[in-house]
């Protein structure tokens, strides 16, 4: 049998765990020399057997120990190599990830909501698919009223009973029918008309306002709009003009223009001698209140409606409405907002 020291040397020369495993069965397994030696013990005299057995056990133990130590050594080596290979350099600059952008329409809806919430309005919503009743009839717009033509409505059934809402005004009806006055709400949302050019898209966004309470008058309406327009355009002074108009759901009705001037192709709101129409409004028609089960002897109020996309175009200098809805990532990257940009009107944090 090979000399013990040689065997132990063999163990210490091993370079990996698999070879060590193989060597282990070679040295101590069934067919190992040492095992053969053990088998021969039976043929020896008792004395010789004892001496030989203890010698063999000794050798076996030393080989085992050597293998175990080698195993630990290889294990350690493996871990160290792994650590070396998988080392993370925490000082490397972070990989850049493209950030999403907030669409100007979403941004403006957030700004508008925070401005109106400052003076007690809450946000209400309604479905895009409406009944003809909520969209027209309940809003005092009778069957043959020209407004139904003008709206150029997307009807969803042959009987013209279901449609894509042409304005956010039906949410006035829904809100009043589902609660008790007073009401003080704004309604941002999608609206639809068969229309498409540089300033019209078949789907667009409106903002409705409704304030019903005891003794509400046009002065309140004027004060509210004056506050909103100043806050939204971030100006201290505005010129505002109420032009008599007609809407079936308000009496009296007005359209509101704001004064502006042009500077390097951009609109400057609040000064100048040009007028820009931005919204429709009026005192809610008693017929609308009756349809919405509001006691007209006790309650009255004002309503207004404006185009959100147009407000966004004015404030952020965007000149083609259709670009809002083309989902062009380059456009959004340019005109969009970073998620963590605090809107200047968000008073909670910035003032
Ligand atoms: N619904 C009108 C439209 O789409 C806008 C409007 C005008 C809403 C006057 C109102 C209002 O609430 O009082 O053109």
């Amino acid at each position: 049998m090979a000399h013990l020291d040689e065997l132990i040397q063999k163990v210490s020369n091993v370079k990996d765990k698999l070879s060590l495993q193989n060597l282990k069965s070679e040295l101590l397994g069934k067919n190992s020399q040492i095992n053969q030696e053990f088998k021969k013990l039976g043929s020896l005299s008792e004395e010789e057997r004892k001496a030989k057995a203890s010698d063999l056990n000794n050798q076996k133990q030393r080989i085992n120990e050597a293998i175990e130590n080698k195993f630990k050594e290889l294990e350690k080596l493996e871990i160290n190599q792994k650590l070396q290979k998988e080392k993370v350099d925490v000082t490397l600059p972070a990989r850049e990830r493209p950030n999403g952008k907030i669409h100007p329409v979403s941004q403006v809806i957030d700004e508008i909501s925070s401005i109106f919430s400052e003076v007690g309005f809450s946000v209400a919503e309604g479905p895009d698919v409406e009944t003809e009743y909520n969209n027209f009839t309940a809003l005092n717009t009778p069957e043959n009223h020209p407004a139904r033509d003008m709206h150029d409505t997307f009807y969803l059934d042959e009987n013209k009973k279901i449609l894509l809402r042409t304005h956010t005004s039906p949410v006035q009806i829904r809100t009043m029918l589902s609660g008790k006055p007073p009401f003080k709400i704004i309604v941002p949302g999608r609206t639809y008309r068969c229309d498409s050019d540089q300033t019209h898209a078949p789907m667009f966004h409106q903002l409705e306002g409704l304030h019903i309470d005891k003794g509400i008058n046009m002065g309140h309406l004027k004060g509210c709009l004056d506050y909103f327009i100043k806050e939204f355009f971030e100006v201290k002074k505005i010129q505002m003009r109420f032009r008599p108009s007609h809407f079936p759901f308000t009496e009296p009705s007005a359209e509101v223009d704001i004064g502006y001037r042009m500077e390097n192709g951009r609109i400057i709101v609040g000064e100048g001698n040009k007028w820009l129409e931005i919204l429709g409004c009026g005192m809610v028609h008693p017929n609308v209140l009756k349809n919405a089960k509001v006691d007209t002897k006790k309650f009255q109020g004002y309503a207004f409606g404006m185009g959100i996309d147009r407000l966004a175009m004015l404030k952020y200098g965007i000149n083609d409405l259709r670009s809002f809805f083309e989902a062009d990532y380059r456009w959004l990257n340019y005109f969009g907002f970073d998620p963590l940009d605090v809107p200047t009107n968000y008073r909670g944090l910035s003032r």
Side-chain angles (χ1 to χ4, degrees):
M1 184 175 141
H3 196 271
L4 180 63
D5 288 344
E6 264 172 53
L7 298 183
I8 288 183
Q9 187 59 45
K10 237 179 166 177
V11 171
S12 79
N13 286 343
V14 166
K15 294 272 181 295
D16 59 271
K17 278 174 168 177
L18 184 65
S19 319
L20 185 66
Q21 192 62 36
N22 293 337
L23 186 63
K24 185 178 179 180
S25 55
E26 183 189 321
L27 299 184
L28 302 172
K30 234 173 158 185
N31 301 318
S32 62
Q33 251 183 345
I34 209 163
N35 216 23
Q36 304 301 327
E37 299 281 334
F38 270 114
K39 279 184 184 157
K40 287 187 209 150
L41 286 178
S43 60
L44 300 177
S45 69
E46 200 179 333
E47 207 139 303
E48 277 177 320
R49 191 163 64 219
K50 261 193 184 163
K52 185 80 185 174
S54 122
D55 181 40
L56 285 176
N57 274 326
N58 239 341
Q59 289 190 36
K60 198 175 168 182
Q61 194 184 337
R62 289 210 34 213
I63 293 171
N64 244 330
E65 271 167 16
I67 290 175
E68 251 166 53
N69 289 339
K70 189 71 194 176
F71 185 83
K72 282 183 197 152
E73 189 189 313
L74 288 174
E75 188 119 276
K76 218 172 176 177
L77 200 74
E78 215 171 70
I79 290 174
N80 281 338
Q81 276 171 352
K82 222 172 166 181
L83 281 176
Q84 203 63 32
K85 221 169 43 198
E86 294 172 9
K87 197 165 70 178
V88 176
D89 184 352
V90 293
T91 65
L92 282 175
R95 248 175 243 153
E96 249 187 64
R97 272 197 294 156
N99 274 333
K101 291 271 183 176
I102 308 269
H103 194 285
V105 170
S106 306
Q107 169 78 15
V108 162
I109 289 176
D110 284 352
E111 292 176 17
I112 290 173
S113 303
S114 82
I115 294 169
F116 277 105
S117 72
E118 284 286 315
V119 288
F121 285 82
S122 49
V123 176
E125 282 181 315
D128 293 10
V129 174
E130 255 303 356
T131 59
E132 167 276 329
Y133 179 79
N134 283 343
N135 195 82
F136 292 126
T137 309
L139 288 164
N140 201 35
T141 314
E143 206 68 43
N144 53 2
H145 194 282
R148 298 202 190 219
D149 275 9
M150 184 196 84
H151 280 138
D152 239 357
T153 308
F154 289 110
Y155 287 98
L156 299 179
D157 66 338
E158 276 177 15
N159 297 329
K160 294 188 169 180
K161 290 286 174 219
I162 310 283
L163 45 79
L164 291 176
R165 64 179 181 191
T166 59
H167 49 182
T168 41
S169 306
V171 186
Q172 289 189 25
I173 304 297
R174 287 177 173 272
T175 303
M176 290 191 280
L177 282 177
S178 66
K180 286 199 156 49
F183 302 105
K184 201 173 180 187
I185 53 153
I186 53 161
V187 185
R190 277 190 284 272
T191 46
Y192 305 83
R193 290 178 203 176
C194 313
D195 223 348
S196 185
D197 58 37
Q198 193 178 340
T199 51
H200 297 91
M203 191 276 296
F204 57 105
H205 298 83
Q206 275 196 345
L207 179 88
E208 192 78 12
L210 175 73
H211 185 188
I212 304 290
D213 205 337
K214 288 174 182 152
I216 296 294
N217 59 48
M218 266 192 116
H220 296 113
L221 168 62
K222 204 171 167 190
C224 171
L225 293 176
D226 181 79
Y227 157 78
F228 166 69
I229 293 163
K230 280 189 206 152
E231 287 289 315
F232 181 73
F233 288 107
E234 299 175 44
V235 290
K236 293 225 160 53
K237 243 177 56 192
I238 49 151
Q239 292 164 297
M240 193 166 62
R241 175 167 89 174
F242 279 64
R243 243 183 321 103
S245 182
H246 173 78
F247 299 103
F249 29 88
T250 43
E251 183 58 40
S253 305
E255 279 173 310
V256 173
D257 304 332
I258 52 173
Y260 77 99
R261 66 180 170 82
M262 294 300 284
E263 191 180 282
N264 303 326
R266 274 201 73 151
I267 287 174
I268 309 291
V269 165
E271 45 195 90
N273 53 7
K274 293 187 153 120
W275 295 101
L276 188 76
E277 181 199 323
I278 60 156
L279 61 89
C281 62
M283 298 304 292
V284 179
H285 197 291
N287 288 350
V288 173
L289 295 175
K290 280 176 200 149
N291 290 336
K293 311 272 183 281
V294 171
D295 184 348
T296 53
K297 294 216 168 59
K298 288 191 187 142
F299 294 98
Q300 62 178 29
Y302 61 80
F304 54 83
M306 56 185 112
I308 292 177
D309 314 286
R310 211 158 116 87
L311 288 177
M313 288 167 79
L314 284 173
K315 183 164 178 179
Y316 294 112
I318 305 166
N319 50 30
D320 189 341
L321 175 67
R322 287 168 297 192
S323 59
F324 274 77
F325 310 120
E326 278 169 356
D328 184 334
Y329 187 69
R330 293 162 302 178
W331 181 88
L332 190 58
N333 234 354
Y334 185 79
F335 284 109
F337 294 81
D338 284 326
L340 294 178
D341 267 359
V342 177
T344 40
N345 287 309
Y346 188 72
R347 294 166 161 222
L349 289 176
S350 64
R351 291 189 212 173

XYZ file of all heavy atoms in Angstrom, residues 167 169 172 193 206 208 247 249-250 280-282 303-305, ligand 1:
131
model
N -71.158 67.145 -23.139
C -70.608 68.114 -22.181
C -70.620 67.482 -20.792
O -71.161 66.380 -20.611
C -71.369 69.443 -22.205
C -72.866 69.330 -22.122
N -73.711 70.398 -22.166
C -73.685 68.244 -21.986
C -74.968 70.015 -22.060
N -74.982 68.708 -21.945
N -72.095 68.815 -18.301
C -73.282 69.309 -17.589
C -74.208 68.213 -17.040
O -74.817 68.428 -15.986
C -74.061 70.274 -18.484
O -73.211 71.303 -18.950
N -74.248 67.625 -13.405
C -75.061 68.500 -12.529
C -76.302 67.740 -12.083
O -76.646 67.705 -10.901
C -75.547 69.740 -13.297
C -74.485 70.759 -13.639
C -75.131 72.047 -14.207
O -76.287 72.357 -13.933
N -74.367 72.778 -15.001
N -67.789 65.089 -29.268
C -68.619 65.651 -30.343
C -68.011 65.290 -31.688
O -66.785 65.153 -31.789
C -68.711 67.177 -30.231
C -69.541 67.628 -29.041
C -69.592 69.135 -28.919
N -69.889 69.496 -27.532
C -69.930 70.726 -27.067
N -69.688 71.741 -27.878
N -70.204 70.956 -25.803
N -63.746 68.748 -20.541
C -64.437 69.926 -20.010
C -64.349 69.966 -18.504
O -64.110 68.947 -17.847
C -65.921 69.883 -20.393
C -66.217 70.440 -21.768
C -67.704 70.732 -21.948
O -68.551 70.267 -21.163
N -68.036 71.477 -22.974
N -66.854 71.340 -15.505
C -68.145 71.892 -15.127
C -68.031 72.418 -13.715
O -67.274 71.869 -12.899
C -69.166 70.737 -15.155
C -70.597 71.161 -15.074
C -71.084 71.677 -16.425
O -70.376 71.477 -17.429
O -72.165 72.276 -16.452
N -77.773 79.755 -22.993
C -77.697 78.299 -22.831
C -79.046 77.867 -22.292
O -79.621 78.583 -21.460
C -76.596 77.902 -21.834
C -75.216 78.345 -22.259
C -74.628 79.457 -21.669
C -74.528 77.660 -23.251
C -73.365 79.886 -22.054
C -73.268 78.080 -23.646
C -72.685 79.190 -23.050
N -79.767 75.716 -20.164
C -79.765 75.299 -18.757
C -79.432 76.427 -17.788
O -79.327 76.208 -16.590
C -78.800 74.124 -18.543
C -77.645 74.101 -19.508
C -76.482 74.795 -19.216
C -77.743 73.414 -20.701
C -75.428 74.797 -20.125
C -76.691 73.411 -21.619
C -75.523 74.101 -21.327
N -79.246 77.658 -18.317
C -78.995 78.796 -17.424
C -79.853 79.984 -17.837
O -80.171 80.165 -19.009
C -77.507 79.219 -17.456
O -77.061 79.208 -18.812
C -76.643 78.323 -16.618
N -68.521 79.362 -20.601
C -69.931 79.705 -20.568
C -70.431 79.535 -19.144
O -69.926 78.688 -18.401
N -71.420 80.369 -18.781
C -71.904 80.267 -17.400
C -73.279 80.906 -17.264
O -73.817 81.438 -18.235
C -70.917 80.936 -16.457
S -70.714 82.699 -16.796
N -73.797 80.873 -16.074
C -75.067 81.535 -15.825
C -75.685 81.042 -14.524
O -75.090 80.248 -13.798
N -73.785 78.004 -12.507
C -73.021 76.907 -13.114
C -72.101 77.509 -14.157
O -72.326 78.624 -14.635
C -73.960 75.899 -13.753
N -71.047 76.784 -14.456
C -70.172 77.223 -15.555
C -69.545 75.998 -16.212
O -69.507 74.910 -15.627
C -69.079 78.184 -15.056
C -68.241 77.657 -13.914
C -67.157 76.816 -14.148
C -68.549 78.002 -12.596
C -66.392 76.344 -13.091
C -67.779 77.529 -11.543
C -66.705 76.695 -11.770
N -69.100 76.208 -17.448
C -68.442 75.109 -18.164
C -67.324 75.654 -19.026
O -67.477 76.697 -19.660
N -72.294 72.797 -21.434
C -71.866 73.977 -22.166
C -71.134 73.548 -23.413
O -70.741 72.432 -23.510
C -70.959 74.817 -21.313
C -71.688 75.460 -20.203
C -72.253 76.697 -20.364
C -71.829 74.801 -18.999
C -72.932 77.306 -19.350
C -72.519 75.397 -17.964
C -73.073 76.663 -18.160
O -72.683 74.803 -16.776
O -73.728 77.251 -17.143
O -70.929 74.337 -24.288
